[in-house]
């Protein structure tokens, strides 16, 4: 399939990005299947590495600055290079929609710059079509897992360097389980665009002159990016450990092995029913499967006389590298739970909405759902403008699992559906809480005009305090990933203003709006009814 | 002194047609009664009576061209063109059958059921107001309400139309057809007809050569008024020739071939040679913004026309002088050119003439691929040294042309052919499935032609082009004259085909050609066409800033329940693709009713409104109601 696609039209490979080894492995795979090795857009940071930069370049990588800023010449040269690659089309072009490795194992919201570039030859009809191939790469255990948690907790990312790489080779001797690579069917850009775009936006200017894209086109590019990510998500393989980690996180700090097994198997059934792509070795007894995944992740949890315990200290100290060990464990664990979120996000938001709406009036539930989806759309991947369908999908899955009953006007939780309902709420409640805490922080602590850096540092202190005091159990808020997403969402929602001052972004809180949002998240204030809500 | 001579030529150049129109109009039927066999030594033209009223006697009523010219598969299963009119007529084309079998999956055994012949009882009755008829009789303008006259003028040569007709005929249903056919013989007759039509609120559809391929002549199905088909064929005189200014004043109904033949007698030509030149008329050229093959030397119709006279419901429109260029506001000629019969009837025109060239030479160049060929044409256009005609065929079209190669008589020629092929493919390394061929036509005095030829071949060599002989060049041009007959042959074997054109800036030509061809193939596949369609193109004209591209597409519709829809949708998809690739809506076929849906976006809302307001002023009651264009 891929082979035929490559012969027909230019091909763009769009893998998910969880690890440095993603692209090396892909190139190796394609080489093994006798397919042309792709050219890869890589971050500029790699070029700084001695030897390795050259090595990567020779294996087909080219380097780009992470931000172009206002450098139009750089942009022009770079995009022309990529487009020439495509037009002449001997090798596929590969890049990561997520732009960077996802530290939290959640799919990051897409970046559009490169996608724009690779779609342009088709928009200008320099090529007949372009195939986009979503690729899902999933790891049983991520190489950089601890590193990521450190970063999430605020330890700066070590600079990519060759010596660092050499030092790190020790970890390669550890066991990391298996890696699944799934190539999605090539998607024809032409069929995606059919009837979507006006015919001739490029007719009046020579094609080599860069042109600002119409709003239509921008919206289309955005939509394609999200579509591709949803396809990636569909084919991300879930390992048994993902289920185990999810169960453990809902029963910390420890639980009986038998209870864990029972809950995990229950969750397995639920995951499959909700369409999760689970790789469970059915020919092995369940206890062995769970034990072996516990073994693989012994740095997080251990089996101690039939009790499964999440590690809270490293032998003698609760504090490692200035971080509280428990936080490290919990965030490592949530990185695995996060992989499961994509499967449940729509039904869970329906469940949360249903709980918050008080009564079960369908219209109210939908308004709540829309509100939550809107707030959390930097956190999870939703196709823009697709709220009604997302809602319907969530309801459909809940109905199918007999968790809820939908009548013409109302939505009701069934008696036997209670456990599923509670589980789903437990899974996503933390994120809503995170946003509440951050709102609270902004209202209480933040002064006028702060930078992102200041915000991250302060919000970290604030939340650690909160957790220490036991005022909250929501560990997810420690993750800088959530903190950044929340800030972006708040800017989008107009709760925080962003201004550019001397090339730096400065933020400012709109206090009434923040207070209102906090209350709305709390479920106390009714959310406004969107005019366009049609059910 | 030879100056100051304006020869009045009324009646002197075309005796045959004069006789026709001079006859008393008592019996409005059958030109067969007319003395067509005048002892005349002129070519078959006048004898065949094309200029006569009942041209359906000579021309096919539901197919292209002359009744006697037709492609058939003879008893041996070889293709052959009947009749004597064309260089290819009577020749055996040994490789054509294999080509059409391989390219379009045609099986010579599987023929469509032959077209039913026309039965007058099938046609809708002619509804004409008695008072109008009475007044019309007083004008002495010849007319007919016979079924075959009306049906002949009810359609153009769009394949879809022909297909429609075949299917409709089987079911015995007809389109809306004209109620009455009128044959005015001069400008004044037209004025009378238009006045009568205004008085009785009738619809007039001007009819010239009937060669439109954009549904230009299709009668609007919901037209409730009487439809008059105004046939200009009797207005076919050259009124004068001005040798000082090199212009000729002609009536609009004269056909291209007749015009050239008569001008040639006095050593002149117009040089305007659209592919339809045998049948199309001066009036038709003007009203559709026609383009001729040799436009590089003579120009397109807008360059050729000096003066136009048109009868509209508002009155007569014309300029008061024949100045070669004017700055008098927007050129009113440009309201007329391309108006496609929606504003009035063009009755007379003054067009430029040139001395017949002393020397003509065909030529051809083979390129390793189409892209190189386009690059070469671009360079030739840049240096402004294009010969009278230069066309670049893609590989498929080259093979198509090759399939029409007649049987060679001597072993020596076939040996030579083999040798040439060997030289090009083996020695020069051209891939026979990649190479593309440019055909050339040079005109002028001998010395200059040879010089020009060398210049062009030198440029071609820089792009890897190899001179490929006069013969190949000539055959390339032949294809354009017989292609329409081939289309009719295809129809008998479940093949529908059509041509369409566009113009595009140079830098988009290659992409546009590739994408449109690919789109056609993809569309056919998606719509369940079993055999890959024929999808081929040529760059057929060059300009400073771009080129005209001409496409042929055909597919085998065996096994498809609704070939008409597939055909229409594929053609529309190809046009969408052209527009998305920066091509124009039309280079010379016009808009008609086929491409109306895209006109507004092509010329902007305001532009469209401008045209509309002109129509509203000139023809407020929509007397010229063929509903083309707007």
């Amino acid at each position: 399939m891929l082979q035929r696609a490559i012969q027909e039209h230019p091909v763009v490979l769009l893998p998910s990005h969880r690890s440095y080894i993603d692209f090396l492995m892909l190139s190796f795979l394609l080489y093994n299947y006798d397919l042309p090795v792709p050219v890869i857009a890589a971050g500029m940071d790699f070029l700084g590495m001695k030897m390795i930069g050259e090595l990567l370049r020779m294996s087909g990588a080219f380097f780009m600055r992470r931000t172009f800023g206002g450098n139009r010449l750089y942009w022009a040269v770079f995009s022309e290079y990529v487009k020439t690659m495509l037009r002449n089309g001997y090798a596929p072009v590969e890049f990561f929609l997520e732009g960077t490795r996802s530290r939290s194992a959640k799919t990051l919201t897409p970046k559009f710059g490169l996608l724009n570039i690779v779609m342009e030859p088709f928009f200008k009809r320099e090529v007949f079509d372009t195939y986009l191939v979503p690729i899902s790469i999933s790891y049983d255990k991520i190489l950089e897992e601890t590193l990521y948690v450190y970063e999430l907790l605020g330890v700066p990312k070590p600079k990519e360097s060759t010596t660092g790489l050499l030092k790190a080779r020790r970890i390669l001797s550890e066991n990391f389980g298996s890696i699944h690579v799934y190539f999605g069917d090539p998607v024809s850009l032409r069929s995606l665009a059919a009837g979507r775009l006006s015919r001739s936006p490029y007719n009046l200017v020579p094609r080599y002159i860069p042109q600002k894209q119409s709003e239509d086109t921008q919206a289309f590019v955005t939509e394609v990016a999200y579509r591709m990510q949803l396809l990636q998500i569909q084919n991300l393989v879930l390992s048994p450990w993902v289920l185990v980690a999810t169960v453990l996180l809902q029963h910390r700090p420890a639980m009986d092995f038998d209870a864990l097994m029972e809950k995990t198997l229950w969750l397995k059934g639920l995951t499959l029913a909700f369409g999760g792509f689970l790789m469970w070795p059915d020919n092995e007894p369940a206890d062995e499967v769970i034990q072996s995944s516990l073994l693989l992740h012994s740095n997080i949890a251990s089996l101690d006389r039939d009790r499964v315990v999440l590690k809270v200290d490293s032998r003698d100290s609760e504090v490692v590298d200035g971080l509280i060990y428990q936080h490290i464990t919990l965030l490592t664990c949530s990185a695995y739970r996060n992989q499961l979120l994509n499967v449940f996000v729509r039904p869970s938001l329906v469940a949360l909405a249903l709980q918050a709406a008080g009564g079960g009036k369908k219209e109210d539930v939908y308004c709540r759902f829309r509100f939550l989806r809107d707030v959390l759309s930097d956190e999870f991947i939703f196709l823009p403008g697709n709220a009604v369908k997302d809602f319907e999908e969530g309801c459909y899955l809940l109905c199918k699992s007999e968790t809820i009953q939908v009548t013409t006007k109302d939505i009701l939780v069934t008696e036997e559906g209670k456990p599923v309902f509670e589980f789903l709420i437990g899974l996503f409640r933390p994120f809503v809480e995170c946003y509440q805490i951050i709102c609270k922080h902004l209202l209480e602590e933040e002064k006028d005009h702060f930078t992102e850096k200041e915000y991250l540092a302060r919000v970290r202190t604030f939340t650690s305090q909160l957790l220490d005091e036991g005022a909250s159990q929501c560990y997810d808020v420690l993750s800088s990933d959530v903190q950044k997403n929340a800030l972006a969402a708040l800017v989008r929602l107009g709760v925080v203003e962003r201004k550019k001052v001397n090339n730096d972004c400065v933020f400012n809180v709109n206090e009434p709006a923040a207070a209102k949002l906090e209350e709305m998240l709390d479920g106390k204030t009714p959310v406004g009814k969107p005019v366009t809500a049609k059910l | 002194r030879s100056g100051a001579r304006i020869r009045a030529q009324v009646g002197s150049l075309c005796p045959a047609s004069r006789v026709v129109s001079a006859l008393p109009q008592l019996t409005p039927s059958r030109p067969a009664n007319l003395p067509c066999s005048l002892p005349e030594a002129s070519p078959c033209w006048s004898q065949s009576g094309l200029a006569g009223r009942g041209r359906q006697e000579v021309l096919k009523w539901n197919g292209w061209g002359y009744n006697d010219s037709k492609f058939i598969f003879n008893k041996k299963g070889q293709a052959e063109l009947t009749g004597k009119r064309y260089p290819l007529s009577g020749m055996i084309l040994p490789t054509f059958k294999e080509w059409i079998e391989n390219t379009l999956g045609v099986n010579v055994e599987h023929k469509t059921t032959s077209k039913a012949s026309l039965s007058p009882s099938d046609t809708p009755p002619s509804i004409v107001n008695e008072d109008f008829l009475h007044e019309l009789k007083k004008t002495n303008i010849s007319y007919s309400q016979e079924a075959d006259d009306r049906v002949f003028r009810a359609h153009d040569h769009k394949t879809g139309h022909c297909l429609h007709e075949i299917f409709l005929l089987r079911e015995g249903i007809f389109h809306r057809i004209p109620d009455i056919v009128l044959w005015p013989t001069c400008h004044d007759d037209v004025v009378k007809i238009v006045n009568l039509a205004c008085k009785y609120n009738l619809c007039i559809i001007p009819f010239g050569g009937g060669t439109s391929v954009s549904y230009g002549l299709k009668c609007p199905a919901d037209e409730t008024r009487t439809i008059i088909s105004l046939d200009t064929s009797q207005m076919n005189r050259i009124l004068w020739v001005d040798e000082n200014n090199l212009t000729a004043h002609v009536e609009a109904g004269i056909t291209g071939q007749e015009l050239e033949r008569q001008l040639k007698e006095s050593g002149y030509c117009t040089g305007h040679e659209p592919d339809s030149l045998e049948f199309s008329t001066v009036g038709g050229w003007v009203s559709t913004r026609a383009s001729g093959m040799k436009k590089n030397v003579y120009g397109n119709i807008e360059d050729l026309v000096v003066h136009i006279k048109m009868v509209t419901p508002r009155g007569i429109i014309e300029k008061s002088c024949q100045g070669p260029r004017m700055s008098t506001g927007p050129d009113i000629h440009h309201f007329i050119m391309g108006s496609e019969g929606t504003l009035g009837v063009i009755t007379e025109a003054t067009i430029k003439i040139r001395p017949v060239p002393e020397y003509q030479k065909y030529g051809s160049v083979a390129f390793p691929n189409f892209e190189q060929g386009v690059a070469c044409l671009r360079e030739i256009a840049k240096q402004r040294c294009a010969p009278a005609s230069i066309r670049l065929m893609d590989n498929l079209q080259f093979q198509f042309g090759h399939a029409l190669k007649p049987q060679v008589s001597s072993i020596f020629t076939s040996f030579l052919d083999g040798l040439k092929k060997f030289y090009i493919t083996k020695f020069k390394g051209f891939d026979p499935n990649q190479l593309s061929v440019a055909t050339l036509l040079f005109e002028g005095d001998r010395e200059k032609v040879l010089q020009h030829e060398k210049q062009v071949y030198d440029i071609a060599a820089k792009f890897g082009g190899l001179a490929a002989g006069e013969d190949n060049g000539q055959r390339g041009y032949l294809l354009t004259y017989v292609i329409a007959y081939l289309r009719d042959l295809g129809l008998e074997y479940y093949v529908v085909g059509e041509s369409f054109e566009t113009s595009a800036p140079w830098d988009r030509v290659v992409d546009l050609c590739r994408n449109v061809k690919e789109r056609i193939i993809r569309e056919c596949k998606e719509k369940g066409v079993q055999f890959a369609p024929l999808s081929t193109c040529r760059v057929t004209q060059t300009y400073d800033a771009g080129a005209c591209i001409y496409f042929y597409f055909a597919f085998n519709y065996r096994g498809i329940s609704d070939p008409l829809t597939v055909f229409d949708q594929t053609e529309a998809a190809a046009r969408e693709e052209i527009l998305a690739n920066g091509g124009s809506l039309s280079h010379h076929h016009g808009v008609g009713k086929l491409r109306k849906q895209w006109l507004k976006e092509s010329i902007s809302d305001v532009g469209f409104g401008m045209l509309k307001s002109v129509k509203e002023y000139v023809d407020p009651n929509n007397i010229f109601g063929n509903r083309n264009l707007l």
Side-chain angles (χ1 to χ4, degrees), chain A residues 16-68:
Chain A
S16 59
H17 202 11
R18 297 289 171 272
S19 169
Y20 274 146
I21 63 171
D22 284 334
F23 57 83
L24 292 175
M25 198 175 49
L26 254 187
S27 297
F28 178 69
L29 249 168
L30 290 171
Y31 175 77
N32 261 354
Y33 280 93
D34 219 6
L35 291 166
V37 176
V39 290
I40 308 148
M44 204 60 162
D45 342 359
F46 294 103
L47 196 58
M49 296 165 78
K50 276 180 204 138
M51 311 249 304
I52 302 299
E54 279 309 301
L55 197 69
L56 288 176
R57 181 168 273 176
M58 279 186 274
S59 54
F62 58 95
F63 302 95
M64 61 184 285
R65 292 185 200 160
R66 292 222 182 254
T67 48
F68 294 119

Side-chain angles (χ1 to χ4, degrees), chain B residues 16-35:
Chain B
S17 58
R18 280 289 87 204
V19 173
V20 173
S21 39
L23 268 180
Q25 306 292 339
L26 294 173
T27 47
S29 63
R30 299 300 69 83
N33 302 339
L34 302 172

Side-chain angles (χ1 to χ4, degrees), chain A residues 8-9 123-129 131 188 190-191 199-200 202-208, chain B residues 505 507-509 511-512 514-516 518-519 522 575-577 579-583 598 601:
Chain A
E8 278 180 357
H9 303 297
F123 289 154
K124 293 187 172 172
R125 296 300 192 274
E126 290 164 332
V127 297
F128 182 76
D129 200 351
Y131 281 124
S188 146
R190 176 174 274 267
S191 33
R199 261 185 293 276
S200 45
Y202 296 97
N203 284 357
L204 295 180
V205 178
R207 291 182 294 181
Y208 65 85
Chain B
D507 69 321
R508 293 180 199 246
V509 169
D511 288 338
L512 187 144
R514 180 197 58 232
N515 291 348
V516 172
E518 176 80 35
R519 177 73 180 265
R522 205 187 255 211
R575 182 57 55 183
E576 303 262 336
E577 193 62 37
L579 296 175
N581 279 271
W598 296 289
E601 67 174 274

